[in-house]
Structure formats: structure tokens, C-alpha cells
Amino acid sequence: MQVEASVSMATEQWFKLLQDAKKTAIIQDGNRKVHFLFENGKEFVEEYNLDTNVVVRRAWRKKGDLGQDLGWEVEIGDPEPNINAIDKLETAGIRESSSNPIVSRRITKTGLEWRIRNLNYPVDVYSVTAEDDGTITVRTSNKKYYKKLTVPDLERVGLRPEQDRLSFKHQYNTLIITYKKPPKLIELEKKIFEMVSKLKVNKDGDVQCPTK
Amino acid sequence: MSITASKVHEVREITRIERIGAHSHIRGLGLNDSLEARNVSQGMVGQFRARRATGVILEMIKEGKIAGRAVLLAGQPGTGKTAIAMGLAQSLGSDTPFTLMAGSEIYSLEMSKTEALTQAIRKSIGIRIKEESEIIEGEVVEIQIDRPVTGVGAKIGKLTLKTTEMETIYDLGNKMIDCLMKEKVQAGDVITIDKATGKISKLGRSFTRARDYDATGPQTRFVQCPEGELQKRKEVVHTVTLHEIDVINSRTHGFLALFSGDTGEIKPEVREQINMKVSEWREEGKADIVPGVLFIDEVHMLDIECFSFLNRALENEMAPVVIMATNRGITKIRGTSYKSPHGIPIDLLDRMIIVPTVPYQEAELKEILKIRCEEEDCEMSSDALLVLTRIANETSLRYAIQLITTSSLICRRNKTTEVSVDDVKRAYSLFLDENRSSQFLKEYQDDFMFYENEEHAMETN
């Protein structure tokens, strides 16, 4: 019963945060793009595919503690191409080699998906487990790769990942992990989509989102 | 918090070729624990009272409670005012901001005088703040560095790190390669790298390598290979100045930044916002204020507007301790036709404590010249040093110091290792000091252009 209560509490909180945020919406390139500005100054962007109504991209604007702009952190979708990669190698002096595994996230109608590219070990090497700390952990028996994947979608509804909903497969050097969405999450997503789809849509063009 | 602070307080800079400046021999104020000045210490000689006074001020700055005090170092040219300020900067350590500027630096076409002064003041206030930063922690599996065949150009490097669970390959930039080489990082070491700043620290050697029979010193520390992911988020403490925060927040965002670049002037609203934010952080216990020192050399070059601005600025509770130095007597205040001691208005003088420096004694001059000889890597015979001391006494200390390297170059031409009296004499005859030069001008002024009696001369012609 208590778990039930905390779940609905967390759901309410996240929904209210989105509801209170200043929202700007446009339709561009076949996507409905929504920009949220929260009361605490954080910025957040979601993009929905017009045909499937599924989130294809979700990103947070990162700010440093001193107020410096750190660019966008992509939660769902392909990571931003890093134009300053060479520059960064000069200033910081270190960068992951491009041959290292890269994680990217996707959402489908029924599941949350992770794709880890550049992993060329056979399928029996991997183990993917739901952990008590709220992460999904990927391990390799040859000790080459290890990653704790956080699941912000589940955190927002106050749930922890469950092993039964987890599955993975390996093809084309890519490990694909799928987590079947729990009903609570589907419900929340539906509610959010309803809210978003009711927003007044700006014409495609030069739209300025509020940043302060 | 202080533990983390000292832990993160890392290696400052990598090997830099140091050039020898006028004050590079100074390493501190040369005081003992009871703030008594030692005779010759840390490159400082004589000036006991001024050094002692500065020591007291140092204590005040270290305590950090008193804001906006002004100190004036007054004395004849070449009596060690700048040296004392340098010594103070050295003994404050790297964590306390110390801004050094000359009075004439504020005159620029790009920003107003008061903006330059405000920036200088804000550069002298440090904020110690906790920030989350990404840290890579792992055991080195392999370092591979490729140098170009020609010997010049960028080096390319790859570093493989591992934990008990995983392994990752990193590309290395030039700076990082130098750092790794300087730290003598090799396979089997456990290291951490701060991803934002690129700072490396060596934690020790991995236990798995404990049986290697290579040259491990007795102080080698063995540590466990880290677990889990290579990249971790850690809270680190570092000091930034108020001015740096201003700059970060004042850059125009978006494509406009391409055209404007760094803003010369920072809007007062931005500063106000930052001040608010900083006091917020202070209340939350997220940040501490580290008041530093602003040193204005040749302060008589400031004009009346700047002085009145300083008057006001010193009253701010965020103001640093301002130390000024001047070698002027009673002279005109710049921008007015009024005369005042040191060329500084009386009301500002009244807010200052004044530390006088006095001319050096002959014995002290000798010590200073000896230190400079060492600093400039020049072996000098004791006779030559005596001659040089006499020159310093009769002309000036600065001129005598100029003769050190010149005479050592003359001596090297003569294939001898030790500078002799003759070498010094030779240098003395080759290069005029200020006195002899004026003498010469007075004697032969008729032959020069634009001399004072020119009109008179033309008439006679």
C-alpha cells in the first residue's frame, strides 16, 4: 500500500512540474517539439513524432555551478554531434577514443530501449541485471565493459527496474536492451502527451523559447 | 571540507622555462614565527621595519575578516617596495588571489578607468566553491605515445585504463601527454584524471603489480584496483575569483557571441546578480569568500577620479586589502593642479596605513648584489663584488644590478669563469649610469638637437 502511495506521489510531482512549466511548442521536420522552462530555471525539451506520438528526443540544458553554459545533455535520442571534440582534446587533453562503446536511448510504444554500439563481444559474455540501486547494470564476463544505466522514466514514477521486464539481444556489434514499460508509466506518458498536444503550436520558423 | 580542499589542491603547473625577472629571487618576506625579520632570508635583505609591518598585514589578510583596508608602501626608488609586495604574494600562497597592476594600466581605450579598477578589485576576491566534476579513476594498462618522425609537431597518444569490471581507451592531447610523462605514469599505476581540467594525480601502484621486480622505492604505495565504472562524479573544491564568475555570466549567448567575443565591460546588473548569488551560496554553506590582495604599483599614476572611486570602493564589505606603492614625494595629484603628499589626496591617505621603506646600507647592498649574482648565475670574485657595492652606493642599486650580467658576459668573452674587478670596470666604462649620462649631456648639450637654449643659439647665428 505504501509503495502504491509513493508511486502516485512521484507521478503527481513530475506531472505538476511539467504543468507549471512555461511551455513553447512548434512543429518542425515531422516532430512536435516542446520546450519546458521550469520554475527553478531548468530547461527541458521533448520531441514527439507526429505519426507515432512517441518521444524521439528528450534533452536537458546543462548549466555549471557558476552559471556557465555546458550545452545540452541528451536523455533520449542520438547524442549531439560534438563539433568541439578536437578543441576539447586540446584543452582538457583527454577524450574517450571513438572506438569505445557508446550508449544511446530510445523509447518505443511499449518499451524503453538502450543501444550500446561498438560492442563486438559474443552474446554470451553479457549479463544485464536490474539492481537495487535503481539502475540497470550491464556486465561482461571478460571484464571489458561495465555500465550502470539510470532509468529516469522509472524514477519519475517512483518505480525500480524489475528483472522480469528486462530482455536483451546482440546484433551488428550492438547490444540492445529492452525494458517493457510498466502500466503506471504508460498512463503517465499518455497524460503528458494529452497536455502537450493541447498546446498552441507556433508556426514553423524563428521561434524564441523563453530562457529566463 | 578543509580535508577535501587540501586533497584537491593539486600540482599547479607543468615545467615552464622561467626567465629571470627583477624580482625572481624573492620567495617570501623572510620573517620568523614571531614576525621578526631575519637578516637575509627568502631573497629579502634589510628593510626590517617595513617587512615586519607587512608581516602584520599578512596576518590580517590570512584571517580574512577585515575588508577594504589600504596600505601604502612609500619610499625612494629602488628601496624594495615592489619586492616587499612580491614577498607578500609569495607568502600568501596560491589559494589567495593576488592581483598585481601598475597605476598606468587602467588607462585604456577599450574600457573606462573605473571599469578597469572594478575588474582589478573583483579579481582580488576569491570564492571557494564546491563543484561536481567528472573524474576518471583507473589502473593504467598501457600508454602508447607516437612521436612524428621529424621530431616536430603534435604527439599522438593513447591511454588504456581499467577497473575490476571494465576497460576503456582514451585519446590523449599534447598537454596530457606531457603531464603523464612528467608524473612518470606507467602501466600498473592507479591514477585519477579530472576530466574538466585534465589534472592527473597518482594514487599508487596496483596490488596486482606488487610482485613485479622493477625498481619500486620504499615509499611506493600499493592500492587496490578501482571497482565499477571508470568515470565517477566527485565533489571538488576550488577557488575562482569574482571576476571569473562575472566573465562566465556576461558572455553574450547564441550566435552573437561569435561577433562580440569577450566583453570588455561587464554590465553592473550582471555584477549585482553575481553578488546576490554569492551571498546566497554563502548562506547555504556552498561557498566561502577568500579575500585577497590588490597591489597597485606606481599609484601616483592614478588620477583624482580613480582616487575618489577607490575611496568609495574600499567601503564595500567585499573589498580586498589594497596595497599601493609610490616613490613620489609631495607632488601634483594627477588630474588636478593641487599638490599632496605622494600625489594622493589627503582623504584617501587618511584611510591608509603607511609603511615607509628606507635606502639600503652598504652592507645590505652587498647582500642584495650577492643574491642577484646567484640568481643570474654569475660567479663574482669578492673584490669585484666590493667594487660593485661601491658603484651601487654611489650611483644606484638598479644600475649595479645591470652590471652583473653585462660584466659576466665580458668575463665569458675573456674565457675566465670568475668575474674580476677589471670586468666590472670594463662594464662600468661601457655603460653610463644616469648621473654620468646627465653630466655628459650638460657638457655637450650644444651639439644635441632641441636643447634648452636652442632659441638663444639661433638668434646668435
Side-chain angles (χ1 to χ4, degrees):
Chain A
M1 219 29 219
Q2 219 174 16
V3 175
E4 194 75 359
S6 79
V7 166
S8 65
M9 258 254 297
T11 318
E12 279 305 308
Q13 255 176 15
W14 173 245
F15 187 68
K16 190 157 184 325
L17 207 61
L18 290 182
Q19 225 171 9
D20 293 347
K22 238 184 243 169
K23 295 176 279 285
T24 319
I26 58 167
I27 290 182
Q28 204 176 45
D29 310 330
N31 288 333
R32 181 192 299 272
K33 303 184 176 181
V34 189
H35 174 270
F36 297 85
L37 176 69
F38 295 131
E39 270 165 5
N40 58 11
K42 284 195 171 165
E43 282 178 68
F44 173 64
V45 165
E46 276 191 332
E47 288 177 22
Y48 292 86
N49 189 305
L50 279 179
D51 302 326
T52 59
N53 294 341
V54 168
V55 180
V56 289
R57 195 174 150 78
R58 201 179 271 164
W60 291 86
R61 181 147 201 184
K62 293 292 277 182
K63 282 236 167 107
D65 285 347
L66 302 175
Q68 66 271 54
D69 198 352
L70 298 178
W72 291 88
E73 191 183 70
V74 178
E75 187 186 306
I76 287 166
D78 287 325
E80 297 254 295
N82 199 349
I83 319 161
N84 299 325
I86 296 165
D87 209 41
K88 228 177 127 195
L89 190 62
E90 273 315 300
T91 52
I94 194 160
R95 165 186 75 184
E96 281 102 277
S97 166
S98 53
S99 62
N100 282 333
I102 319 167
V103 184
S104 70
R105 274 201 62 195
R106 269 189 212 179
I107 285 191
T108 60
K109 268 223 146 67
T110 54
L112 309 172
E113 225 179 71
W114 286 263
R115 278 155 194 269
I116 308 179
R117 303 201 173 90
N118 278 349
L119 269 180
N120 47 10
Y121 314 112
V123 67
D124 50 313
V125 166
Y126 308 100
S127 74
V128 181
T129 51
E131 302 278 315
D132 283 341
D133 57 1
T135 62
I136 293 171
T137 304
V138 183
R139 289 191 177 80
T140 46
S141 59
N142 59 2
K143 302 292 180 200
K144 290 292 183 195
Y145 189 73
Y146 176 89
K147 182 94 188 162
K148 278 179 177 298
L149 302 166
T150 54
V151 197
D153 299 74
L154 291 183
E155 275 167 29
R156 279 174 205 137
V157 293
L159 287 175
R160 284 171 179 237
E162 291 161 44
Q163 189 68 49
D164 310 341
R165 295 181 173 274
L166 211 51
S167 63
F168 67 92
K169 63 177 176 185
H170 185 264
Q171 61 182 21
Y172 313 124
N173 281 349
T174 305
L175 182 72
I176 302 168
I177 302 164
T178 318
Y179 187 84
K180 218 167 126 240
K181 281 185 194 169
K184 283 270 176 212
L185 182 60
I186 294 173
E187 207 177 291
L188 175 71
E189 281 182 346
K190 217 171 120 196
K191 238 165 100 186
I192 293 174
F193 181 74
E194 262 166 35
M195 175 178 76
V196 164
S197 55
K198 274 186 208 136
L199 284 175
K200 191 176 119 332
V201 175
N202 289 297
K203 284 252 164 60
D204 185 2
D206 203 9
V207 179
Q208 190 58 53
C209 304
T211 55
K212 266 195 184 127
Chain B
M1 206 194 95
S2 63
I3 301 166
T4 28
S6 60
K7 218 183 209 173
V8 175
H9 188 96
E10 320 83 338
V11 209
R12 275 226 121 186
E13 258 307 331
I14 19 166
T15 34
R16 208 190 303 138
I17 301 157
E18 295 267 355
R19 302 189 69 211
I20 302 161
H23 296 105
S24 47
H25 59 285
I26 285 158
R27 286 176 299 277
L29 283 170
L31 304 173
N32 62 16
D33 290 339
S34 53
L35 296 183
E36 221 66 66
R38 287 191 216 104
N39 195 10
V40 180
S41 168
Q42 297 186 310
M44 292 291 238
V45 181
Q47 265 356 319
F48 297 110
R49 284 174 55 192
R51 274 160 65 194
R52 183 137 195 226
T54 318
V56 174
I57 293 162
L58 173 68
E59 284 305 301
M60 179 176 89
I61 298 164
K62 274 188 179 162
E63 259 171 50
K65 282 199 185 118
I66 309 283
R69 287 299 163 85
V71 181
L72 180 68
L73 291 169
Q76 293 88 330
T79 49
K81 296 178 296 294
T82 314
I84 285 176
M86 292 289 196
L88 179 68
Q90 298 271 358
S91 30
L92 276 173
S94 56
D95 223 21
T96 313
F98 185 94
T99 318
L100 197 147
M101 67 182 289
S104 44
E105 252 172 63
I106 60 160
Y107 299 103
S108 146
L109 287 177
E110 274 176 11
M111 55 174 97
S112 66
K113 291 177 276 190
T114 49
E115 171 71 18
L117 271 178
T118 316
Q119 286 195 3
I121 286 173
R122 289 178 80 86
K123 268 180 207 165
S124 321
I125 297 280
I127 309 287
R128 199 179 289 135
I129 190 167
K130 271 184 237 166
E131 254 195 318
E132 216 177 52
S133 82
E134 271 189 1
I135 278 179
I136 305 168
E137 188 177 282
E139 181 187 327
V140 179
V141 180
E142 187 187 11
I143 307 180
Q144 183 192 334
I145 293 164
D146 299 330
R147 287 181 193 78
V149 193
T150 50
V152 285
K155 291 178 279 247
I156 306 163
K158 270 193 166 44
L159 172 71
T160 314
L161 288 177
K162 72 164 186 185
T163 66
T164 49
E165 306 286 348
M166 68 183 288
E167 221 177 89
T168 303
I169 302 168
Y170 291 93
D171 288 337
L172 300 175
N174 240 341
K175 213 173 82 188
M176 186 62 73
I177 294 175
D178 291 343
C179 275
L180 285 169
M181 296 216 275
K182 193 182 158 253
E183 292 278 324
K184 300 204 179 66
V185 173
Q186 47 177 327
D189 288 338
V190 177
I191 60 170
T192 63
I193 300 173
D194 185 335
K195 233 185 151 190
T197 58
K199 272 170 189 148
I200 302 174
S201 43
K202 226 162 144 178
L203 299 181
R205 274 188 81 71
S206 170
F207 266 118
T208 49
R209 301 278 183 146
R211 289 177 151 270
D212 285 5
Y213 292 107
D214 49 17
T216 49
Q219 72 276 38
T220 312
R221 213 168 43 161
F222 286 101
V223 292
Q224 219 52 264
C225 180
E227 289 172 4
E229 282 177 278
L230 265 165
Q231 279 189 40
K232 290 172 183 134
R233 292 196 147 267
K234 266 193 186 161
E235 222 165 47
V236 292
V237 180
H238 49 173
T239 315
V240 290
T241 68
L242 268 184
H243 177 68
E244 283 168 328
I245 306 182
D246 287 349
V247 171
I248 288 168
N249 286 279
S250 74
R251 287 222 180 94
T252 26
H253 291 290
F255 77 102
L256 277 177
L258 279 178
F259 302 105
S260 60
D262 268 10
T263 48
E265 300 219 355
I266 291 160
K267 287 195 203 112
E269 299 94 73
V270 173
R271 292 216 167 98
E272 233 159 76
Q273 257 182 25
I274 305 276
N275 285 355
M276 295 244 298
K277 229 187 204 171
V278 167
S279 55
E280 228 170 75
W281 290 341
R282 253 172 100 189
E283 273 164 31
E284 291 166 13
K286 265 169 77 186
D288 289 320
I289 290 192
V290 194
V293 177
L294 170 61
F295 177 67
I296 309 177
D297 213 348
E298 314 273 325
V299 72
H300 49 262
M301 294 305 293
L302 299 186
D303 61 10
I304 186 78
E305 292 161 37
C306 300
F307 286 127
S308 83
F309 176 83
L310 272 181
N311 251 343
R312 184 77 192 84
L314 283 176
E315 279 169 11
N316 193 318
E317 57 170 20
M318 292 276 247
V321 171
V322 181
I323 298 180
M324 308 177 217
T326 179
N327 52 22
R328 298 293 155 99
I330 297 173
T331 179
K332 260 188 200 157
I333 304 168
R334 191 167 172 170
T336 67
S337 51
Y338 299 108
K339 283 193 169 180
S340 181
H342 310 297
I344 300 171
I346 301 282
D347 58 339
L348 182 58
L349 270 178
D350 197 27
R351 285 164 195 261
M352 299 200 256
I353 38 178
I354 301 175
V355 178
T357 56
V358 288
Y360 289 108
Q361 302 298 312
E362 192 159 335
E364 290 163 357
L365 288 176
K366 195 175 163 191
E367 282 303 325
I368 296 173
L369 287 170
K370 215 158 119 192
I371 291 171
R372 286 304 302 182
C373 283
E374 239 163 70
E375 188 70 23
E376 294 179 25
D377 222 0
C378 152
E379 248 176 77
M380 192 162 287
S381 70
S382 53
D383 289 348
L385 193 63
L386 266 179
V387 172
L388 208 58
T389 313
R390 231 179 49 227
I391 292 173
N393 207 16
E394 272 158 30
T395 63
S396 78
L397 178 58
R398 289 215 168 99
Y399 175 70
I401 288 174
Q402 302 273 28
L403 290 188
I404 293 176
T405 295
T406 41
S407 54
S408 107
L409 283 173
I410 290 169
C411 133
R412 220 180 300 160
R413 275 273 152 266
N414 297 341
K415 304 252 169 17
T416 43
T417 48
E418 203 184 51
V419 178
S420 65
V421 179
D422 285 338
D423 296 325
V424 176
K425 273 186 182 160
R426 190 78 211 278
Y428 182 75
S429 64
L430 275 175
F431 303 104
L432 295 184
D433 60 290
E434 176 264 327
N435 238 329
R436 273 184 293 157
S437 176
S438 346
Q439 195 64 44
F440 177 80
L441 284 182
K442 270 180 201 146
E443 265 171 48
Y444 295 99
Q445 63 180 346
D446 288 358
D447 302 334
F448 285 91
M449 283 174 74
F450 307 127
Y451 67 99
E452 264 179 24
N453 299 334
E454 191 162 31
E455 269 162 76
H456 174 73
M458 273 167 77
E459 271 170 26
T460 50
N461 282 347

